[in-house]
Amino acid sequence: MPDPHPRSGLGEPRGPSFLPGRPREHTEPLAPPAPPPSHTTPQPQSPPKRPPRTSRPLAAAVLAAVLAGGLAGYAAGELGDDPVPASAPAARAPGDLQAVAARVLPSVVSVRADRGQGSGFVFDERGHILTNAHVVDGSSRVSVELQDGRRLTAEVIGDDPAHDVAVLEPETSRGLRAADLATGTRPAVGDTVLAIGSPLGLSGTVTSGIVSALDRSVRLGEGIGGGPRRALQTDASINPGNSGGPLVDDEGRVIGINTAIATLDQNRGGSIGIGFAIPVGDAVKAARTIIDGG
């Protein structure tokens, strides 16, 4: 029979799931009362009370908690007062970033020029493609590969080295889908972002991170605009070949154009979690000037 007095450390069972046992019904005859003193009137006495018996389900649960150790918290919660539900941490439902990537990828292209390779994306309904000036690097025509595998020839209709922006006009706009642009909003530090492009020639690559800083003054190297420019900083993995691809928020809107990374070794550059993107508002303004012939 379980010990009716729990050992130290388990605490007293309580709560709605704990029902105290009833006194055992007595079927054996009770001992006769002691004879009263001669000078008093005899008084009836109640039968001796026996300690209440702990219900069997409760005893089994407490024993399981003692033996299992790791289940003690669970058993205590089941046997204690009604627990207060813990508030679940705010989190994006699983699969949402997958949906974002699936929505943006059809607008992203790989760009191959005479001297290098990079990325780009369709940014208007006429099928114009936005990329970096350092990707085209003076080429007048480039090859673009769409996500469905089609290859198109595109004309470089102009570039703006000061903003590291170039605009391509493909031979056809059939099947091209413009990406959504976040030109009317401003990202915040800590926002979730995806970088999409063709790092090292691996088209359709998606990496994730956050906005690490805003309005970072970055000098992008010799021959690309000359001076420092305003950039978004992100820890999303960006590598050679990502240049010109979109940096998008968690709603699939383009907030910047991936353009540069910080490295520890200039000869063997790779992502160290510090990447930079041209804010989409600056890039689109430069692109519109190019398209309008300014």
Side-chain angles (χ1 to χ4, degrees):
M1 182 177 189
D3 185 353
H5 303 288
R7 297 183 180 182
S8 175
L10 290 179
E12 291 291 337
R14 55 196 174 87
S17 59
F18 173 63
L19 299 175
R22 296 181 178 179
R24 185 190 300 273
E25 295 183 2
H26 303 284
T27 56
E28 67 273 18
L30 300 177
S38 58
H39 63 278
T40 60
T41 303
Q43 297 293 328
Q45 292 187 354
S46 301
K49 294 184 179 180
R50 306 180 71 172
R53 181 177 61 183
T54 305
S55 60
R56 292 185 183 276
L58 174 65
V62 173
L63 179 61
V66 174
L67 295 179
L71 297 178
Y74 174 79
E78 287 294 305
L79 298 174
D81 294 334
D82 290 339
V84 177
S87 57
R92 180 167 291 274
D96 280 5
L97 293 183
Q98 296 175 10
V100 170
R103 185 164 67 250
V104 178
L105 275 168
S107 302
V108 182
V109 302
S110 296
V111 179
R112 294 190 178 276
D114 295 337
R115 299 182 181 179
Q117 178 266 336
S119 306
F121 62 95
V122 182
F123 79 100
D124 68 11
E125 299 302 326
R126 296 166 58 186
H128 289 121
I129 294 171
L130 200 56
T131 187
N132 283 147
H134 77 262
V135 170
V136 299
D137 194 21
S139 299
S140 60
R141 301 183 74 84
V142 297
S143 173
V144 297
E145 182 177 353
L146 311 183
Q147 292 299 313
D148 60 11
R150 284 190 298 157
R151 291 181 181 274
L152 302 175
T153 299
E155 178 185 357
V156 180
I157 63 175
D159 65 351
D160 180 351
H163 292 90
D164 198 15
V165 169
V167 178
L168 313 179
E169 185 172 11
E171 57 187 280
T172 177
S173 61
R174 181 176 58 85
L176 300 182
R177 182 195 304 176
D180 293 331
L181 308 179
T183 52
T185 61
R186 179 176 170 84
V189 172
D191 284 354
T192 298
V193 291
L194 298 180
I196 306 177
S198 304
L200 307 179
L202 302 173
S203 62
T205 295
V206 179
T207 58
S208 65
I210 62 170
V211 175
S212 302
L214 303 174
D215 302 327
R216 186 71 80 193
S217 181
V218 179
R219 186 181 297 276
L220 298 180
E222 298 179 1
I224 309 179
R229 70 173 55 85
R230 186 169 65 103
L232 302 174
Q233 182 182 327
T234 180
D235 68 348
S237 180
I238 298 175
N239 287 286
N242 271 118
S243 291
L247 185 71
V248 304
D249 62 18
D250 60 3
E251 295 183 14
R253 302 173 302 178
V254 179
I255 64 171
I257 303 176
N258 301 316
T259 188
I261 57 176
T263 64
L264 299 177
D265 187 339
Q266 295 295 331
N267 297 321
R268 294 180 297 175
S271 175
I272 58 172
I274 301 178
F276 303 101
I278 304 166
V280 68
D282 296 350
V284 169
K285 183 177 179 180
R288 295 297 182 196
T289 300
I290 292 171
I291 293 171
D292 293 340

